[in-house]
Amino acid sequence: MLLERAGREVRLSRKAFALLRVLIANRARVVTKAELHAQLWPDTFVVDANLNVLVLEIRRGLDDPARDGRLLKTVHGVGYRFAAPVEPADADSMTTAARCWLVADDKRYSIPGDDVSIGRDPECDVWLDAPGVSRRHARIRIGANGDATLEDSDSTNGTYIGKSRITGPTRLREGDEVHFGSLALTFRTRAAAKETERVRPPA
């Protein structure tokens, strides 16, 4: 996912970006503070001030001060809701091309580097928020020659290529069906793609 404002990339800390991803993924409802704590700091106690700092960072990045709250709505005492329309961005509009990606139905997850973590943890490079996917499920590594290798990260339900559970680094090929737990994705190469959502401020 890439965050842009007025055609320029907005850089956020990993934790703030993870928070924004959770809010966008659940934009149809208010996400409670308890849910956000569980997603961002699993098995760790943190005070609400930590969450407030991340919300402020996002507001600054989006130029959305709390007094306006056009994009990020605060529901006092409950949580937050992302209120702006979100629409897919055309791959042709992206300046950075991914060498490979994973596809499921109408969703496209780019592999944004040479050593990419995949899992249910919002801080993973590829975030798969689905049942059966471990928080840190697998990794994809891209070699100097462009070959992609898939490796399981001791996930609970295993990583499969086709019907075969992988037990070590395994080469990925165009069109391979990859299973992370019960979630099936197709590995694609040969064309530029970038998984992104564009935030469009309301008029």
Side-chain angles (χ1 to χ4, degrees):
M1 184 186 290
L2 178 70
L3 178 63
E4 290 184 342
R5 191 183 81 204
R8 295 185 177 181
E9 183 178 354
V10 176
R11 295 189 178 277
L12 298 176
S13 66
R14 289 180 64 87
K15 193 69 77 172
F17 201 85
L19 170 59
L20 182 59
R21 294 182 73 167
V22 173
L23 293 173
I24 289 176
N26 295 277
R27 58 189 176 275
R29 65 183 180 87
V30 175
V31 186
T32 67
K33 292 182 179 180
E35 290 178 88
L36 294 173
H37 279 278
Q39 287 270 14
L40 299 174
W41 296 281
D43 305 318
T44 303
F45 174 79
V46 296
V47 296
D48 279 350
N50 296 69
L51 187 58
N52 295 340
V53 168
L54 299 182
V55 169
L56 180 59
E57 183 181 348
I58 293 172
R59 288 195 187 282
R60 286 174 176 166
L62 296 177
D63 191 22
D64 185 48
R67 65 177 179 274
D68 297 332
R70 295 185 307 154
L71 308 181
L72 188 58
K73 300 288 188 183
T74 300
V75 182
H76 294 286
V78 181
Y80 301 92
R81 182 175 71 86
F82 193 83
V86 175
E87 59 188 27
D90 295 334
D92 291 342
S93 69
M94 307 307 298
T95 58
T96 303
R99 285 171 287 179
C100 52
W101 63 96
L102 296 164
V103 178
D105 298 325
D106 60 343
K107 292 185 178 180
R108 177 178 291 183
Y109 305 91
S110 69
I111 307 303
D114 295 332
D115 187 358
V116 173
S117 59
I118 301 170
R120 194 165 43 84
D121 188 331
E123 289 202 12
C124 284
D125 299 305
V126 176
W127 182 37
L128 302 179
D129 188 20
V133 177
S134 296
R135 296 194 67 82
R136 296 279 175 169
H137 197 105
R139 304 193 76 84
I140 289 180
R141 293 183 169 90
I142 309 297
N145 60 356
D147 289 344
T149 300
L150 177 67
E151 185 174 357
D152 186 73
S153 299
D154 295 323
S155 65
T156 300
N157 295 314
T159 303
Y160 293 75
I161 297 178
K163 296 182 179 180
S164 301
R165 183 168 184 166
I166 65 173
T167 57
T170 305
R171 169 85 179 277
L172 280 170
R173 292 175 171 81
E174 164 70 20
D176 276 346
E177 185 175 76
V178 184
H179 296 257
F180 302 96
S182 60
L183 181 63
L185 301 170
T186 302
F187 180 73
R188 295 294 187 193
T189 60
R190 295 199 299 257
K194 184 79 175 181
E195 182 256 339
T196 183
E197 287 180 310
R198 177 178 295 147
V199 175
R200 178 165 52 86

